[in-house]
Amino acid sequence: MPSSPQHPAPKPRDLSRADAEDLMLYREKFRLRLPESLDELHGPTGGVVELPFHMAWSGMTSYDMDKPRQRMGLYRTVLHEGLRDDLRRYLNQDLLLQLWPVLRTLVGRSVRAVWEDAFPQLSARTRTAA
């Protein structure tokens, strides 16, 4: 169940040791996929993008980058399911920075934390947008 005001997410101190270790491993999975720099992200900014099955295994495979909701959906899918080469191929640095203030609310907490820890410019972008 996702966290909500009625069902807040557990705080790290509320997690059992096993759960805390699982969370660390889960975050490490995303950390290992990160590019060295956002400069490596040269993905498309327009047109229709087809994602391979290993990323789009449970939903849409074709995204029109000229449609804001589809563009956001593609970024969310790639951030969650993409491998390092996928991130470089399908994400664009400028577009990621532009979308991040909203996109960060659509991705899971682990994805958000890993990306913001690795790339402070994403957090700065969020503070600037607020």
Side-chain angles (χ1 to χ4, degrees), residues 69-82:
R69 293 184 99 177
Q70 288 190 30
R71 182 174 52 232
M72 198 69 77
L74 177 128
Y75 269 62
R76 182 176 184 267
T77 299
V78 173
L79 287 169
H80 276 273
E81 305 296 337

Side-chain angles (χ1 to χ4, degrees), residues 11-27:
K11 294 177 175 57
R13 68 178 180 273
D14 296 338
L15 296 175
S16 71
R17 182 177 177 170
D19 288 341
E21 288 175 6
D22 286 348
L23 180 60
M24 286 176 25
L25 287 173
Y26 187 64
R27 287 188 178 180

Side-chain angles (χ1 to χ4, degrees), residues 8-67:
K11 294 177 175 57
R13 68 178 180 273
D14 296 338
L15 296 175
S16 71
R17 182 177 177 170
D19 288 341
E21 288 175 6
D22 286 348
L23 180 60
M24 286 176 25
L25 287 173
Y26 187 64
R27 287 188 178 180
E28 187 63 16
K29 172 183 87 166
F30 292 112
R31 199 172 288 114
L32 291 172
R33 297 175 181 183
L34 290 174
E36 294 291 322
S37 164
L38 293 182
D39 293 334
E40 296 178 29
L41 306 179
H42 297 288
T45 58
V48 175
V49 176
E50 299 284 335
L51 290 182
F53 184 70
H54 73 271
M55 280 192 293
W57 51 269
S58 70
M60 290 177 56
T61 59
S62 181
Y63 295 83
D64 186 341
M65 295 293 286
D66 299 319
K67 295 182 178 179

